[in-house]
Amino acid sequence: MAKYTNMEFLKFLLFNVHPINQLFKHERFAHLNEEQAWMMIESAKQLADLEFAPYFKEMDTTPASYDGKGNVLTHPALKKMINTAAEQGWIGGSALFEHGGMQLPEMIFGTAHHLFQAANNGVQGYLGLSAGAAGLITSFGTIQQLEQYVPKIYAGEWQGTMALTEPQAGSSLTDITTAAKPLTENSYLIKGQKIFISGGQHEACSNFIHLTLARIEGAPAGVKGISLFIVPKFRPNKDGSLEYNDVYCAGDFQKMGQRGYATTHLSFGDNNDCIGYLVGEPHKGLSYMFQMMNGARISVGLCAASVAMAAYQASLQYCSERPQGRLPGEKDPSKPPVNIIQHADIQRMLFTQKAISEGSISLGIECNKLYDLYHACNNEEEKNKYFLLLEILTPIVKTYPSEQGSRSAALAIQTLGGYGFTTDFPVQQHYRDLKIMSLYEGTTGIQSIDLLGRKVLMEKGKALNLLLDEIQFTITSASQFETIKENAETLNNELSRINWTIKHLNKYLIEGKIEKYLADATVFLEMMSYCVIGWQWLKMATKASEMIQSGEIPANNKAFYEGKIHTCQFYFKYEMPHTAACAATLLDESELTFIANFDVFH
């Protein structure tokens, strides 16, 4: 079986770079220890090896498809995959004990899902959606709703989904028109259309719990008038029986990637018999849904990183085995060809893939740890710190792996040459699967506006300052080691560049030029992302340097840690210079991207 991740790397992140044992000091996670944590990760790897990875290609060549009768047909093995994952706790494992979970930290739960994503990213989506939907119900629903829906979702019998997008309203949720007409205090007649509903109404689960955004009659216009409803495909009756709830699957979308992952068009209330059950208070649906969306954004970023890692591993294996050509200095044609991993340009492409995928996974685990600390900590000041750091990192962890992961997978194809473009090798599928990640849960442009328009300004810049302080702490630690001291100085200079750029952009805010302030938000997010991933690489290289210096690693394993230092140096030479180009664009005052004369596009 092809290797799709690196377990030694995951152990290094969990126990050295982002020490998970810091979580076990908190009451919420005191029932766990490092040994148990790693046993769970190894168990998840076994599940991924046995149940998920073998069907990666099959689920692409025989994709989910609509039967014309309201059902989506999926791979025959999907039902078993979902059920086995549920039995092992990988849907409800992070939930509290009282909600039927194992009270696992996201550092464990998310790392397990990384393994599933790397092995077969189409399957993990079903599990993640159900976990998010159940979490939303436990956070904002009634006791009755929790008892009625959550156990079945955690058992893998019922599938949870997010139903946000409509044909006329994609990311602009202000414009949704799905209507809710009151029936009783908590039940409403739902009528409308939802599209791009991942995991919707396939044959591997017996019921579907759609967390649906809709407008109650007479609700305020805009986002302030949106409410959240539980809309099951089959609604439970008082006697425990199920009754069809007038939720019809009108079709599925055939996609360029993630073809085994059902994406559906749902029609609610065609026969005026679709009942939705209000979650929480009226008109607060979007704020509730953001809990699931923010968790999904981190998950999407980690998924992109995981797929990029799988492509890198396939690329690395091929380059290590494929003989082709000779080194430029070798003039004797009788000498045998060398494996292509010896060629400098192949090494450049491999190191770029490694830098992107491993840096992104490290950032994903960093965010999962912040999430865990926020929920476990009782000190309000510390809690607010973790919250703000997570808020400002969320658009970055969602976007950098999604955008750069596609670049990384493209390089994986390039390293294989013509073979990379064929279906004989998996890298072309990784490339196709990855593209959707920059669209899920808000496009790159939306994430960028969120970062520059909201997160940078949050609490008068406190979130940004906290992040810069964290990066500065790593810079100080790294400066003690000669091998990465220069990299630390470079990152320190980049922090000054960020501050100078923000100061320049802020003058547009002061002048009331909001459009100009946000016009190049995507470029700003790109600049910030390079710095944040540089921070992660400096963290990894610092810890590797400490471990080498202390002599606590076996001599036969020294290359792994030296590889982290080398990749850090590579990242700062080949990737970090992109920040200067981003800054040059942001500091240029010409207005070229929000013009009124659209004729120039012809």
Side-chain angles (χ1 to χ4, degrees):
M1 181 182 298
K3 187 176 179 182
Y4 51 82
T5 192
N6 186 325
M7 293 293 280
E8 186 177 15
F9 173 62
L10 294 179
K11 182 177 279 190
F12 174 61
L13 289 181
L14 288 172
F15 300 129
N16 301 117
V17 181
H18 310 288
I20 194 172
N21 62 355
Q22 294 173 357
L23 297 182
F24 306 145
K25 300 173 185 176
H26 295 275
E27 183 181 353
R28 184 185 179 104
F29 304 121
H31 58 290
L32 295 166
N33 58 44
E34 288 188 4
E35 183 180 3
Q36 292 169 323
W38 190 245
M39 284 175 63
M40 291 179 190
I41 299 302
E42 289 184 316
S43 174
K45 176 64 162 58
Q46 186 176 37
L47 174 63
D49 284 347
L50 296 178
E51 301 289 347
F52 293 1
Y55 301 103
F56 173 62
K57 185 175 181 179
E58 279 187 33
M59 290 179 68
D60 182 66
T61 55
T62 55
S65 60
Y66 187 59
D67 69 354
K69 302 174 184 177
N71 303 300
V72 176
L73 308 179
T74 50
H75 193 284
L78 180 61
K79 184 178 181 66
K80 184 186 176 188
M81 293 184 213
I82 293 174
N83 289 341
T84 305
E87 288 169 7
Q88 295 187 17
W90 298 121
I91 296 179
S94 62
L96 297 175
F97 291 134
E98 56 262 40
H99 295 153
M102 299 160 65
Q103 212 155 296
L104 297 180
E106 279 298 317
M107 286 189 79
I108 295 176
F109 197 72
T111 301
H113 278 243
H114 152 72
L115 295 169
F116 306 151
Q117 290 160 343
N120 188 335
N121 67 88
V123 176
Q124 186 277 336
Y126 295 105
L127 311 179
L129 274 174
S130 282
L136 204 61
I137 294 170
T138 58
S139 293
F140 305 110
T142 63
I143 297 295
Q144 181 187 3
Q145 289 172 341
L146 191 158
E147 292 175 346
Q148 196 160 52
Y149 299 105
V150 170
K152 292 283 190 180
I153 295 175
Y154 285 160
E157 297 176 35
W158 294 358
Q159 171 78 59
T161 78
M162 301 167 66
L164 286 71
T165 306
E166 298 181 4
Q168 81 295 337
S171 300
S172 181
L173 295 175
T174 298
D175 301 316
I176 68 168
T177 59
T178 297
K181 182 178 180 180
L183 288 175
T184 66
E185 182 180 355
N186 198 46
S187 63
Y188 294 73
L189 273 180
I190 305 295
K191 195 172 187 63
Q193 305 277 322
K194 296 289 183 178
I195 61 170
F196 300 146
I197 309 307
S198 299
Q201 311 215 157
H202 52 84
E203 60 181 351
C205 290
S206 62
N207 197 9
F208 295 83
I209 311 305
H210 303 295
L211 275 295
T212 304
L213 294 181
R215 290 187 187 281
I216 298 172
E217 287 185 348
V223 296
K224 293 181 180 179
I226 297 174
S227 299
L228 177 64
F229 299 88
I230 294 170
V231 184
K233 178 181 178 180
F234 297 101
R235 59 183 183 247
N237 293 317
K238 291 182 179 179
D239 62 2
S241 63
L242 296 176
E243 179 181 357
Y244 179 58
N245 195 37
D246 199 11
V247 180
Y248 185 73
C249 180
D252 76 321
F253 295 90
Q254 292 298 303
K255 303 169 294 183
M256 66 178 278
Q258 284 205 325
R259 288 160 56 80
Y261 187 26
T263 303
T264 56
H265 179 171
L266 301 179
S267 183
F268 298 91
D270 288 350
N271 300 303
N272 298 313
D273 191 30
C274 178
I275 298 177
Y277 306 94
L278 183 67
V279 178
E281 298 179 36
H283 317 319
K284 293 188 176 180
L286 195 57
S287 65
Y288 299 152
M289 187 60 86
F290 263 105
Q291 172 184 295
M292 190 172 177
M293 289 172 65
N294 282 335
R297 284 171 176 169
I298 296 170
S299 180
V300 166
L302 192 52
C303 186
S306 304
V307 179
M309 170 61 88
Y312 166 59
Q313 293 297 332
S315 171
L316 178 60
Q317 179 180 342
Y318 182 89
C319 294
S320 301
E321 297 172 355
R322 168 69 167 168
Q324 185 81 195
R326 294 157 189 83
L327 297 180
E330 179 55 71
K331 305 302 181 184
D332 185 355
S334 67
K335 291 288 179 70
V338 298
N339 288 337
I340 62 174
I341 196 170
Q342 295 188 42
H343 295 300
D345 196 55
I346 294 291
Q347 292 188 6
R348 176 191 62 81
M349 291 190 285
L350 288 172
F351 272 124
T352 303
Q353 293 175 63
K354 181 180 176 70
I356 290 170
S357 60
E358 292 190 358
S360 296
I361 291 169
S362 181
L363 179 59
I365 291 178
E366 174 98 47
C367 289
N368 282 338
K369 185 174 184 180
L370 288 169
Y371 178 93
D372 290 331
L373 288 170
Y374 169 74
H375 285 89
C377 183
N378 294 320
N379 181 290
E380 287 305 315
E381 185 176 345
E382 286 291 299
K383 200 175 184 73
N384 189 53
K385 172 187 172 183
Y386 300 135
F387 170 77
L388 291 175
L389 283 170
L390 190 58
E391 282 285 291
I392 198 166
L393 285 173
T394 294
I396 296 172
V397 74
K398 193 275 181 185
T399 302
Y400 176 89
S402 300
E403 293 287 356
Q404 296 297 326
S406 285
R407 174 179 163 226
S408 182
L411 288 172
I413 294 174
Q414 190 74 14
T415 58
L416 270 67
Y419 282 117
F421 201 66
T422 70
T423 57
D424 295 340
F425 291 88
V427 288
Q428 49 77 32
Q429 184 180 339
H430 293 310
Y431 181 73
R432 289 186 287 107
D433 287 350
L434 249 165
K435 182 54 209 164
I436 188 64
M437 307 303 171
S438 65
L439 309 176
Y440 278 148
E441 311 309 329
T443 62
T444 295
I446 289 169
Q447 304 301 324
S448 303
I449 291 171
D450 179 48
L451 176 65
L452 184 59
R454 292 184 61 245
K455 304 302 173 58
V456 165
L457 303 175
M458 184 176 281
E459 293 194 17
K460 299 181 179 179
K462 187 175 180 180
L464 176 64
N465 289 333
L466 283 170
L467 176 58
L468 297 182
D469 287 345
E470 291 291 311
I471 297 174
Q472 190 65 61
F473 178 82
T474 301
I475 290 170
T476 301
S477 300
S479 298
Q480 302 172 38
F481 300 97
E482 284 300 320
T483 52
I484 52 175
K485 185 176 182 179
E486 184 178 338
N487 303 143
E489 291 173 359
T490 298
L491 188 54
N492 191 54
N493 292 337
E494 293 301 334
L495 298 192
S496 299
R497 196 195 304 272
I498 288 170
N499 282 319
W500 177 256
T501 303
I502 289 174
K503 183 178 179 181
H504 172 81
L505 294 174
N506 279 345
K507 72 180 185 181
Y508 299 139
L509 278 184
I510 295 170
E511 295 168 0
K513 299 177 179 178
I514 306 300
E515 286 79 8
K516 188 169 184 177
Y517 175 73
L518 292 174
D520 290 318
T522 300
V523 181
F524 178 79
L525 186 146
E526 185 179 352
M527 182 175 73
M528 283 290 297
S529 295
Y530 280 117
C531 292
V532 166
I533 298 298
W535 167 47
Q536 291 301 309
W537 271 110
L538 207 56
K539 268 191 165 187
M540 287 187 273
T542 300
K543 181 50 66 174
S545 299
E546 289 175 358
M547 295 176 74
I548 291 172
Q549 191 176 86
S550 68
E552 62 181 278
I553 57 174
N556 63 357
N557 202 29
K558 191 176 179 181
F560 171 83
Y561 299 93
E562 290 175 337
K564 296 294 166 275
I565 297 168
H566 189 98
T567 310
C568 177
Q569 294 168 336
F570 175 91
Y571 182 89
F572 275 84
K573 177 179 178 178
Y574 287 88
E575 297 295 301
M576 192 61 81
H578 292 301
T579 58
C582 292
T585 297
L586 291 162
L587 295 172
D588 187 325
E589 298 199 13
S590 57
E591 300 177 4
L592 301 175
T593 56
F594 59 103
I595 56 176
N597 180 14
F598 302 145
D599 290 338
V600 298
F601 290 107
H602 297 290

